[in-house]
Amino acid sequence: MTITSIICLTLPCLYTLVYLILITLKTHKLIKNSIVLKYDNDILLINLEISNKKLAQAATHDPLTKIPNRRLFQTNLANALARARKNSRILALLYIDLDNFKTVNDLYGHQTGDRILQIMINRLRNYFRKDDILARLGGDELAVIIENVNGHEDIETIARKICYLIAIPVKLQNATLQISASVGISVYPDDGADEESLLKCADTCMYYAKEHGGNKFYFSEKLTT
């Protein structure tokens, strides 16, 4: 067999081999790009999910204290009332306003006021049960929804504890500050059968407590100090 014959026989094999190598390299590149693309898509989806959660959190929670804001509070109150009606249970709504909080802000600055508010809310969060709903309605106004209470004595105990926890002095760098709370209380079904009635009653009771010196809680039927 001549050299020319050998070359003629070998060249097709070489072409085929080179073609297979090129196809393999191209396939490998496609697979690699596909894996990279899937990884990038997964990262994008994770980041999108995180962003959506942050947006949902921002829409329903107070940015300073991380507790429910007024919007989520109203939803929670409607749901809690629906459960109370269904199960024929008592529900308590406590409206809390910090006494002389504006004075603290004016004297020590809003940064100090924010820190005090965070401390007060942490105290309350550690006290309340897991199912109790604590919310910041705005400024220094807070609200608590308490389901499945046995009666006014239980609610009174809770209100006393709130006033006690708020009144504990706060030690900051250069000062020891003490504030108090005025708490208004409305009870389902005694004080109303809907969100608006209960909120109005609790708000009225809170202002009554504040007008009588603060550091008090007040039911619609009686003043308890």
Side-chain angles (χ1 to χ4, degrees), residues 71-101:
R71 178 181 177 183
L72 182 57
F73 166 79
Q74 290 174 335
T75 300
N76 287 334
L77 179 57
N79 292 337
L81 271 174
R83 288 189 292 270
R85 292 189 197 99
K86 180 180 178 181
N87 300 318
S88 299
R89 298 289 295 176
I90 296 174
L91 178 146
L93 172 61
L94 290 80
Y95 203 110
I96 306 166
D97 186 87
L98 303 183
D99 301 323
N100 301 318
F101 190 71

Side-chain angles (χ1 to χ4, degrees), residues 57-73:
Q57 178 81 5
T60 57
H61 288 74
D62 174 58
L64 176 66
T65 61
K66 311 305 179 186
I67 62 174
N69 60 16
R70 180 181 290 271
R71 178 181 177 183
L72 182 57
F73 166 79

Side-chain angles (χ1 to χ4, degrees), residues 3 12 22 24 28-29 43 88 134 157 165 205-206 223:
I3 294 176
L22 291 174
T24 301
H28 175 74
K29 185 178 181 180
I43 294 297
S88 299
L134 172 65
T157 299
L165 291 172
C205 292
M206 182 273 291
L223 177 66

Side-chain angles (χ1 to χ4, degrees), residues 72-154:
L72 182 57
F73 166 79
Q74 290 174 335
T75 300
N76 287 334
L77 179 57
N79 292 337
L81 271 174
R83 288 189 292 270
R85 292 189 197 99
K86 180 180 178 181
N87 300 318
S88 299
R89 298 289 295 176
I90 296 174
L91 178 146
L93 172 61
L94 290 80
Y95 203 110
I96 306 166
D97 186 87
L98 303 183
D99 301 323
N100 301 318
F101 190 71
K102 184 179 183 301
T103 303
V104 172
N105 276 330
D106 292 341
L107 290 176
Y108 298 95
H110 288 282
Q111 187 173 3
T112 297
D114 287 347
R115 181 60 188 140
I116 289 175
L117 188 60
Q118 289 172 326
I119 291 171
M120 296 303 169
I121 286 177
N122 283 335
R123 290 176 182 174
L124 296 178
R125 289 174 69 177
N126 290 332
Y127 168 67
F128 289 122
R129 302 170 304 181
K130 182 179 178 180
D131 294 334
D132 299 332
I133 300 169
L134 172 65
R136 184 186 183 191
L137 304 187
D140 60 335
E141 294 183 352
L142 312 174
V144 187
I145 303 168
I146 302 176
E147 300 183 61
N148 300 320
V149 290
N150 293 322
H152 281 205
E153 288 186 3
D154 286 351

Side-chain angles (χ1 to χ4, degrees), residues 12-40:
C13 293
L14 289 173
Y15 290 148
T16 302
L17 180 60
V18 170
Y19 176 76
L20 290 174
I21 291 173
L22 291 174
I23 291 296
T24 301
L25 290 174
K26 187 175 182 180
T27 303
H28 175 74
K29 185 178 181 180
L30 289 172
I31 293 173
K32 181 180 178 181
N33 290 341
S34 176
I35 293 173
V36 171
L37 182 61
K38 183 179 184 304
Y39 175 79
D40 289 343

